[in-house]
């Protein structure tokens, strides 16, 4: 359970306990739950307190009566016109048929009376309730409303008004950046990931956007799953025959600038069909391994040699950078190990670390004499990679030089790397290392030494 989920759950439980103890609700009193997890936790906490209390706490508040263990009490509370809609939605998945049917009547009436406010307020909760045995009804109801041919306007939407009878022209009011301001537009911008993914699927089913808008949404989306939905739809649109199909240079360029690696990989893949496969060479040094692999494939499809291109990038120490080294290591062989070893003296720590990672990827013989001094490198990433390279040879390492690196006068990353090797070496040396770091001034190292395997 993540911190956000724990916070939601605890806020709902606290509100339930406060209302059951007689606290006042509303302004100056108990703050009602406002998130899906808080509402479900509120419902569960009311039943839990009732089951452990004798006599049961008095159910004077409407909110607590809607969650009462007695189905007759819940059914009577649903007849109150002021019943909070989130609890009504929860009762739509109730285990008592009479309660469930009445709650569904109330929810359907609320949706018909004010679809904009009902949908924006309840979609996050209804999506979570849809996983329950009786929770699919409300989700189907909302799904039908959102798929309607006429879009549901957001409750704050205000259409544009032309100038007439001396009144000035009034622009449309929008909080989502789209005109008209619809509930679907709000759902697509929601901070709740399940809601955003749900809205993306509904939008794709409707075929609302063209390939450029699909690519734009894929590029700016931060959630990997949602961005993948947009990107795959854009790729499908470019692969389709007929009007609107075929490669689109603007959409491809947009995909290539995406935040998520999957989106950039789609852009690189689309270069070949657009006749731009030669441009894939510039993505051989992308920060993502997925994008680099797609770029190597595209270069080969265009008749190029990704190995030669990557090798050329790392031969000049003045121009080399970390991802160029990583990209080269992914297509290099053991015969290229000397070129990577030459980069271990590069002034940039990130390049030295990338060279060590590349040597480890090649799985060549471990040069203990060359790698052991790198545990003292001022760069933490270099010391970490050096320790990873030496792990396979830990049993052959002498304990004394490693134990000397556990002193408090050494940097924390050096102590960590030495301890990792001593622990892999095992025996009495590992026990002495754990004892030495048990009193280390760095709390992370102390936890490492006292934890499992320490």
């Amino acid at each position: 359970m993540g911190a956000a989920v724990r916070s939601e759950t605890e806020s709902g439980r606290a509100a339930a306990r406060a209302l059951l103890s007689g606290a006042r609700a509303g302004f100056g009193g108990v703050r009602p739950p406002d998130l899906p997890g808080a509402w479900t936790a509120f419902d569960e906490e009311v039943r839990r307190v009732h089951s452990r209390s004798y006599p049961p706490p008095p159910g004077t508040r409407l909110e607590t009566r809607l969650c009462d263990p007695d189905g007759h009490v819940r059914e009577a509370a649903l007849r109150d016109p002021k019943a909070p809609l989130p609890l009504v939605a929860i009762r739509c998945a109730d285990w008592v048929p009479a309660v469930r049917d009445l709650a569904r009547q109330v929810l359907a009436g609320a949706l018909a009376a004010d679809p904009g406010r009902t949908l924006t307020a309840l979609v996050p909760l209804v999506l979570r309730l849809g996983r329950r045995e009786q929770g699919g009804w409300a989700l189907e109801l909302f799904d039908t409303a959102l798929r309607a041919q006429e879009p549901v306007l957001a409750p704050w939407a205000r259409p544009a008004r032309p100038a007439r009878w001396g009144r000035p022209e009034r622009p449309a009011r929008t909080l989502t950046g789209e005109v008209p301001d619809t509930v679907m537009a709000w759902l697509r911008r929601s901070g709740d990931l399940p809601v955003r993914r749900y809205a993306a699927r509904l939008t794709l089913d409707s075929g609302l956007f063209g390939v450029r808008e699909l690519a734009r949404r894929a590029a700016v989306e931060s959630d990997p799953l949602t961005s993948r939905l947009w990107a795959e739809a854009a790729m499908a649109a470019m692969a389709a025959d007929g009007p609107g199909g075929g490669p689109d240079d603007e959409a491809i360029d947009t995909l290539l600038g995406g935040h998520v690696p999957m989106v950039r990989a789609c852009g690189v893949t689309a270069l070949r069909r657009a006749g731009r496969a030669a441009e894939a060479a510039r993505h051989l040094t992308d920060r993502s391994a997925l994008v680099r692999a797609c770029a190597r494939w595209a270069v080969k499809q265009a008749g190029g040699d990704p190995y030669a291109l990557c090798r050329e990038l790392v031969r000049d120490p003045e121009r080399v950078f970390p991802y160029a080294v990583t990209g080269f290591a992914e297509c290099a062989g053991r015969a290229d190990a000397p070129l990577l070893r030459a980069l271990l003296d590069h002034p940039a720590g990130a390049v030295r670390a990338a060279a060590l990672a590349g040597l480890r990827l090649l799985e060549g013989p471990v040069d203990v004499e060359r790698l052991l001094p790198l545990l003292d490198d001022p760069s933490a990433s270099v010391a970490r990679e050096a320790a990873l390279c030496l792990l396979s040879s830990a049993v052959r390492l002498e304990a004394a030089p490693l134990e000397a690196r556990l002193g408090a006068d050494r940097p924390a990353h050096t102590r960590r790397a030495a301890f990792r090797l001593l622990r892999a070496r095992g025996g009495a040396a590992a026990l002495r290392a754990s004892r030495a770091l048990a009193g280390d001034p760095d709390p992370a190292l102390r936890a490492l030494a006292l934890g499992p395997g320490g």
Side-chain angles (χ1 to χ4, degrees), residues 208-367:
L208 178 64
F209 297 139
V211 62
R212 293 183 179 180
E213 180 63 17
L214 292 171
R216 187 192 70 81
R217 289 182 176 274
V220 301
E221 176 60 58
S222 58
D223 173 45
L225 180 56
T226 309
S227 66
R228 179 173 183 169
L229 292 173
W230 295 121
E232 289 181 346
M235 294 291 286
M238 287 190 284
D241 296 325
D248 186 293
D249 287 337
E250 183 176 333
I252 293 173
D253 291 337
T254 303
L255 292 173
L256 290 172
H259 294 303
V260 178
M262 178 66 185
V263 176
R264 298 197 302 277
C266 287
V268 172
T269 304
L271 287 173
R272 177 176 175 268
R273 195 163 187 265
R276 300 166 52 187
E279 298 178 27
R282 71 180 68 170
H283 300 282
L284 291 170
T285 57
D286 191 273
R287 59 186 180 275
S288 165
L290 174 63
V291 179
R292 294 194 298 269
C294 289
R296 289 194 295 271
W297 170 83
V299 170
K300 288 180 181 178
Q301 294 297 312
D305 184 359
Y307 168 77
L309 292 172
C310 292
R311 182 181 175 85
E312 190 62 30
L313 290 173
V314 300
R315 294 188 67 174
D316 185 0
E318 299 296 326
R319 297 172 52 196
V320 70
F321 54 98
Y323 290 115
V325 178
T326 304
F328 171 67
E330 289 170 344
C331 56
R334 290 188 178 180
D336 298 296
L339 184 55
L340 291 175
R341 290 194 191 98
L343 295 175
L344 296 180
D345 297 319
H346 194 276
V351 172
R352 297 197 300 275
L356 283 169
L359 288 170
R360 180 161 50 87
L361 187 65
L362 296 181
E363 297 181 346
V366 178
D367 186 353

Side-chain angles (χ1 to χ4, degrees), residues 65-261:
R65 285 189 284 119
L66 282 166
C67 307
D68 195 278
D70 190 335
H72 296 92
V73 176
R74 297 197 303 277
E75 183 179 6
L78 282 169
R79 302 185 187 280
D80 192 314
K82 296 182 179 179
L85 285 181
L87 292 177
V88 173
I90 293 176
R91 297 281 70 84
C92 288
D94 201 278
W95 59 94
V96 178
V99 176
R100 191 166 64 237
D101 294 342
L102 180 57
R104 291 175 178 181
Q105 293 178 20
V106 175
L107 184 61
L111 181 62
D114 192 349
R117 293 188 187 278
T118 304
L119 290 169
T120 53
L122 295 185
V123 164
L125 176 60
V126 166
L127 282 175
R128 287 159 174 81
L129 294 174
R131 298 191 289 263
R132 298 187 178 184
E133 182 180 358
Q134 301 292 340
W137 181 89
L139 185 57
E140 289 180 8
L141 178 70
F142 282 22
D143 196 83
T144 302
L146 290 169
R147 291 179 186 271
Q149 187 173 2
E150 188 69 25
V152 180
L153 295 180
W156 54 79
R158 185 180 68 182
R161 184 185 65 188
R164 58 183 301 187
W165 298 339
R167 292 185 303 183
E169 178 184 5
R170 185 184 68 185
R173 178 186 180 186
T174 173
L175 297 183
T176 63
E178 299 183 27
V179 178
D181 219 351
T182 64
V183 171
M184 280 299 300
W186 177 84
L187 296 178
R188 286 192 292 265
R189 293 169 57 91
S190 173
D192 189 284
L193 287 184
V195 171
R196 212 155 70 233
R197 294 166 182 171
Y198 172 68
R201 291 188 178 98
L202 289 183
T203 303
L204 293 175
D205 289 344
S206 69
L208 178 64
F209 297 139
V211 62
R212 293 183 179 180
E213 180 63 17
L214 292 171
R216 187 192 70 81
R217 289 182 176 274
V220 301
E221 176 60 58
S222 58
D223 173 45
L225 180 56
T226 309
S227 66
R228 179 173 183 169
L229 292 173
W230 295 121
E232 289 181 346
M235 294 291 286
M238 287 190 284
D241 296 325
D248 186 293
D249 287 337
E250 183 176 333
I252 293 173
D253 291 337
T254 303
L255 292 173
L256 290 172
H259 294 303
V260 178

